[in-house]
Amino acid sequence: MNLIGEYILENFTTICLALGLAILAVSNNNLDKRTNHSFVLFTIVVLMLVAADITDHYLAGFDEVNKLRYFSSALGYTLRPSAIVILIDILLRRRNSLFILWIPIIIVGLIAFTSYFTHLMFWFLPTNQFMQGYLGYLPHFVSIVYLIILVIMTIKIHRNISAGEIFVVLYSACICVLAMLLESILSDYKFLLTGAMITSCALYYVVLYIETYRRDLLTGLLNRRSFYGDAKRMQNKTLTVISIDLNGLKDINDNQGHKMGDIALQQMARAMEVESGRKFSTYRVGGDEFMCLGKGKNEDNTQEYIKEMTEALKENKQMASFGYAFYQAGNNFDEICNKADQQMYKDKMRYKHRSSSRQDE
């Protein structure tokens, strides 16, 4: 039992950090529920992995193999790649379904937990010596593939996430790979991966928590402060400034209630995330007022984005008014925004005509 106590002490910081992060995620309402739940799930996976590793290392000291060691080893093989999938889910929050990413983990789990009979992934000699099976490196391969997917998805959506989030994701991938290598090479150093995982997750949570001050809580888009901050940061670039007004929001609030108005705003935000919208940074700057910034975009890019956005809105039976202007280094940014607003108001003047025409169709 003294050996188990030593293992627990070695993981004391990891366990405390995981428990603290879980409590914070449960009690914090600044992040959306799905993201908070993903963080709680991640901490549960880490705590289970710590328990599995402690059990495995404790049983490894016996002269004869214990059947419980098969279970703890299989659980460890399954949980390691599972934690990375949860990180991907946090990164892609509200964007895509990730069920397909769990299929390889289910396969890994089935092979791991049946290795007691098949010896495909691992087995133990009667003397308790660990033996690698033909598929022994499958969990490591799956974990590396997931880390590559994590990096690729970070690059793919980099315009829609902060520099801090990009850093923490890439940092997490690097230190997790390093921890896996060190655990494989240095047999005297165990529990490095679980420590790296929970440290990465805690850092990720802090970054997202800070990010809530840059984002609109209802839509998830960047807020007014971020709009002017990003514009100042890119003041030496060529920018497209798009002004957008969601038409009919007051009517929705008055006739259908503010809950439906909130849904309409969220649908507007989703419409701004169409394929071509990945080239633009998107903001909610007021009640029904939205802005977009496109670095180095031309008129064709801008019109294509507005067209795709309009089509996406039609699917929800919504309409919006648009206006845009182009900023060059040295221009007065506020004047460019006013030009975009003026164009949007001109478009809005045609809104009633377009609405009545649609009703006549």
Side-chain angles (χ1 to χ4, degrees):
M1 292 302 293
N2 290 335
L3 188 59
I4 293 180
E6 290 178 8
Y7 287 146
I8 292 175
L9 287 176
E10 286 185 43
N11 288 275
F12 181 77
T13 302
T14 299
I15 295 171
C16 290
L17 191 55
L19 291 174
L21 182 59
I23 293 171
L24 185 62
V26 169
S27 60
N28 178 30
N29 294 321
N30 285 353
L31 299 181
D32 62 90
K33 287 185 179 180
R34 175 175 174 177
T35 301
N36 276 326
H37 290 164
S38 295
F39 275 107
V40 172
L41 180 60
F42 188 93
T43 58
I44 291 173
V45 167
V46 170
L47 289 172
M48 290 176 63
L49 185 55
V50 168
D53 285 350
I54 289 176
T55 303
D56 183 68
H57 290 306
Y58 173 70
L59 295 176
F62 285 34
D63 294 330
E64 296 182 359
V65 63
N66 187 307
K67 292 182 180 180
L68 180 60
R69 195 179 178 196
Y70 275 97
F71 178 81
S72 62
S73 296
L75 189 62
Y77 275 127
T78 307
L79 291 177
R80 281 171 169 80
S82 299
I84 305 173
V85 173
I86 298 171
L87 281 181
I88 297 174
D89 181 62
I90 294 172
L91 176 70
L92 301 180
R93 50 199 175 278
R94 296 188 299 176
R95 288 190 176 92
N96 295 299
S97 174
L98 296 174
F99 174 75
I100 192 171
L101 290 180
W102 288 98
I103 295 177
I105 293 178
I106 295 173
I107 295 173
V108 168
L110 289 173
I111 296 174
F113 282 99
T114 56
S115 286
Y116 176 80
F117 308 100
T118 64
H119 296 180
L120 285 175
M121 190 170 290
F122 66 92
W123 78 95
F124 299 98
L125 296 176
T127 56
N128 204 19
Q129 182 181 353
F130 176 84
M131 302 297 291
Q132 193 87 34
Y134 291 114
L135 299 178
Y137 288 103
L138 180 61
H140 301 84
F141 174 76
V142 171
S143 296
I144 294 297
V145 170
Y146 282 149
L147 286 172
I148 293 173
I149 291 174
L150 183 65
V151 172
I152 291 174
M153 296 309 301
T154 302
I155 295 172
K156 187 176 180 181
I157 65 171
H158 74 279
R159 290 184 178 276
N160 295 320
I161 59 179
S162 67
E165 187 170 355
I166 294 172
F167 164 77
V168 76
V169 170
L170 298 180
Y171 174 78
S172 300
C174 290
I175 66 171
C176 286
V177 170
L178 180 60
M180 282 191 289
L181 291 175
L182 290 175
E183 281 191 349
S184 300
I185 297 171
L186 306 174
S187 58
D188 293 335
Y189 291 88
K190 301 299 181 183
F191 313 115
L192 295 177
L193 181 57
T194 50
M197 289 167 61
I198 198 61
T199 300
S200 300
C201 190
L203 183 60
Y204 202 169
Y205 195 87
V206 170
V207 168
L208 290 186
Y209 188 84
I210 295 173
E211 185 71 6
T212 59
Y213 292 97
R214 298 186 68 243
R215 291 190 176 272
D216 173 60
L217 293 180
L218 177 63
T219 62
L221 300 179
L222 294 166
N223 58 25
R224 186 183 186 89
R225 177 189 297 177
S226 298
F227 174 70
Y228 285 102
D230 291 347
K232 184 177 181 179
R233 178 173 51 84
M234 297 186 290
Q235 60 184 342
N236 294 323
K237 307 291 184 181
T238 299
L239 300 173
T240 300
V241 180
I242 306 176
S243 176
I244 308 169
D245 187 275
L246 177 61
N247 294 325
L249 180 63
K250 185 177 184 301
D251 291 338
I252 295 175
N253 286 330
D254 291 345
N255 299 321
Q256 301 179 43
H258 287 277
K259 179 64 176 179
M260 293 304 298
D262 289 346
I263 293 174
L265 289 169
Q266 291 169 339
Q267 290 173 336
M268 177 71 216
R270 300 290 79 78
M272 295 173 73
E273 294 180 347
V274 292
E275 182 67 26
S276 61
R278 292 176 180 172
K279 303 171 185 176
F280 292 81
S281 298
T282 53
Y283 309 82
R284 182 188 178 200
V285 295
D288 56 0
E289 300 169 4
F290 300 83
M291 300 292 288
C292 300
L293 289 177
K295 186 167 62 175
K297 304 307 173 191
N298 56 34
E299 186 146 358
D300 290 340
N301 301 140
T302 305
Q303 290 184 354
E304 178 188 5
Y305 179 31
I306 291 175
K307 181 179 178 181
E308 286 190 29
M309 217 187 311
T310 302
E311 292 299 320
L313 286 170
K314 283 182 180 178
E315 295 179 4
N316 298 317
K317 298 181 179 180
Q318 292 179 316
M319 297 181 69
S321 300
F322 303 90
Y324 59 89
F326 298 98
Y327 169 88
Q328 301 286 340
N331 290 158
N332 185 303
F333 184 73
D334 288 335
E335 290 181 1
I336 300 300
C337 289
N338 288 335
K339 287 182 180 180
D341 286 340
Q342 290 171 9
Q343 293 296 321
M344 182 272 292
Y345 287 127
K346 287 181 180 179
D347 188 44
K348 195 172 184 66
M349 292 297 292
R350 297 187 289 269
Y351 166 58
K352 292 183 178 180
H353 171 69
R354 287 183 290 158
S355 298
S356 59
S357 297
R358 173 175 288 187
Q359 292 173 356
D360 293 338
E361 291 178 355

